[in-house]
Amino acid sequence: MHFAIIDLGTNTFHLLIVDKNDDGIRTVYKTHTPAKIGKSGINQGVITEEATQRALGVLQQFRQKIDEFAVPLSQVKAIGTSAIRNANNATEFCNKVFLETGLSIEVISGDREADLIYRGVRRGIDLGEQVSVIMDIGGGSVEFIICNASRIFWKQSFEIGGQRLLEKFVLTDPISPSAVRRMNDYFQEQLLPLVNAAHQYAPQILVGSSGSFDTLTDMDFMHRLGHLPEPHQTAFDLSLEEFRRAYHLLTTQSHEDRLSIPGMIELRVDMIVPGVVLIDHVLRSLNIRQIRSTTYALKEGILGWVVGEQ
């Protein structure tokens, strides 16, 4: 029996099709495509007409794949996150998508998003009993979850995602040192609840979930080993030294130079700049010395729906 999961992220749309049988769940198809629904409108709380057309184009492709795998629409779950939940025209956008593709979008809260990310990360990496802080950098929001393998201690979603930061702070190429300072001042103000929670629960490990962390992992592999990770590997360690090397490259080089870094992909070449400034801020603010990452995130968390979890 086939099920399909669509994650309508602010920057990228993901499609995951799985087969459920007596032996468990098996991935039969997955893809991701840039839709950039937050571009030019996210800080104004609107999904622009251009963004809507990009979204419809991607979702029509996804619908073709869903039909190819004969997934009934009752077994398709499409999840909308930050750019949609904060848009003044969210209802209009969702109605247009339904009218043109037949796909019904469930718009979730930031708190629900954090919960699903935790469930997804647990599928991809062994968190163990030590306290970690999961960080998922989306285009619209960033989720932080202080947790271990058995429970969540604290979680919160912040509307400080990569597209928002890009349009607010990254006004030169490469980014200016003054913009980095302004961004850090902004993070210090916005992330006070995270710092307070970290004082209480003392996470020792930062666990990055997909997105920018995937690219940092790919850059690390290319730099150290000359090849990308195996596709089936879902859990990684990233040294602080490698992060510092990547941070320096990404914050001092132009778009074209960043694009030529081994392991970089065009989809993430600009968004990763505010991403690494944010990661650096979190590492310093929480005094964390260990970084791990996983390729699993929200869409893998939604897999719980396939097996009947809440």
Side-chain angles (χ1 to χ4, degrees):
M1 188 182 295
H2 284 157
F3 291 79
I5 291 164
I6 301 172
D7 169 9
L8 292 91
T10 298
N11 194 38
T12 310
F13 287 1
H14 298 262
L15 171 63
L16 175 66
I17 299 176
V18 299
D19 179 51
K20 178 190 175 188
N21 56 40
D22 293 342
D23 297 325
I25 296 173
R26 178 177 62 91
T27 298
V28 294
Y29 180 83
K30 65 177 176 178
T31 189
H32 63 270
T33 306
K36 298 186 179 178
I37 59 168
K39 188 175 181 182
S40 302
I42 193 159
N43 289 332
Q44 292 74 45
V46 65
I47 301 170
T48 67
E49 181 58 28
E50 293 83 357
T52 299
Q53 292 307 314
R54 284 194 298 273
L56 289 170
V58 174
L59 292 172
Q60 281 160 351
Q61 292 171 26
F62 284 6
R63 178 62 201 268
Q64 287 175 358
K65 279 293 173 189
I66 287 165
D67 291 344
E68 276 180 37
F69 283 92
V71 185
L73 288 178
S74 62
Q75 287 165 203
V76 177
K77 191 172 279 287
I79 299 292
T81 55
S82 175
I84 302 175
R85 69 172 166 259
N86 290 290
N88 299 323
N89 59 338
T91 301
E92 180 188 336
F93 173 82
C94 292
N95 287 343
K96 189 171 280 192
V97 166
F98 181 74
L99 194 65
E100 299 205 17
T101 69
L103 298 170
S104 180
I105 299 172
E106 177 187 343
V107 183
I108 61 172
S109 68
D111 190 67
R112 178 63 173 155
E113 186 173 357
D115 182 63
L116 288 168
I117 288 165
Y118 170 70
R119 292 168 186 243
V121 167
R122 271 199 318 189
R123 290 179 182 273
I125 197 168
D126 180 8
L127 290 168
E129 287 308 303
Q130 196 166 6
V131 179
S132 296
V133 55
I134 295 170
M135 178 180 186
D136 185 294
I137 307 174
S141 62
V142 180
E143 283 66 44
F144 292 96
I145 305 105
I146 298 177
C147 60
N148 61 17
S150 53
R151 61 173 290 200
I152 292 173
F153 300 102
W154 175 92
K155 65 183 187 297
Q156 190 167 332
S157 177
F158 297 83
E159 298 297 335
I160 56 169
Q163 187 66 37
R164 295 183 193 278
L165 298 174
L166 202 58
E167 295 184 14
K168 190 178 178 73
F169 293 104
V170 187
L171 307 176
T172 61
D173 186 32
I175 188 172
S176 68
S178 64
V180 172
R181 286 193 297 273
R182 289 198 311 276
M183 217 184 301
N184 275 299
D185 290 344
Y186 179 70
F187 294 151
Q188 188 168 355
E189 176 188 313
Q190 294 292 315
L191 295 178
L192 195 56
L194 170 66
V195 173
N196 290 339
H199 284 155
Q200 182 176 355
Y201 297 108
Q204 300 298 303
I205 302 165
L206 177 67
V207 178
S209 169
S210 69
S212 293
F213 288 96
D214 286 349
T215 297
L216 289 170
T217 297
D218 288 350
M219 287 171 60
D220 175 39
F221 266 69
M222 291 300 294
H223 177 64
R224 289 187 302 109
L225 304 171
H227 63 80
L228 293 172
E230 293 295 326
H232 59 79
Q233 187 174 350
T234 62
F236 303 91
D237 292 292
L238 183 72
S239 71
L240 275 180
E241 292 73 23
E242 170 56 22
F243 174 75
R244 296 284 170 229
R245 182 190 77 87
Y247 176 89
H248 176 74
L249 284 176
L250 295 167
T251 56
T252 60
Q253 293 192 350
S254 68
H255 175 99
E256 288 305 317
D257 289 336
R258 291 194 304 273
L259 199 52
S260 68
I261 298 171
M264 180 58 67
I265 58 172
E266 188 170 5
L267 171 65
R268 217 158 277 134
V269 67
D270 293 322
M271 202 87 75
I272 198 169
V273 175
V276 292
V277 176
L278 176 56
I279 295 165
D280 175 65
H281 181 89
V282 169
L283 290 170
R284 288 185 291 104
S285 299
L286 276 53
N287 195 28
I288 287 176
R289 310 288 301 168
Q290 184 179 351
I291 308 171
R292 304 177 72 202
S293 73
T294 176
T295 55
Y296 279 21
L298 177 70
K299 61 187 182 300
E300 287 79 17
I302 300 166
L303 279 174
W305 158 70
V306 175
V307 294
E309 297 171 4
Q310 294 302 306

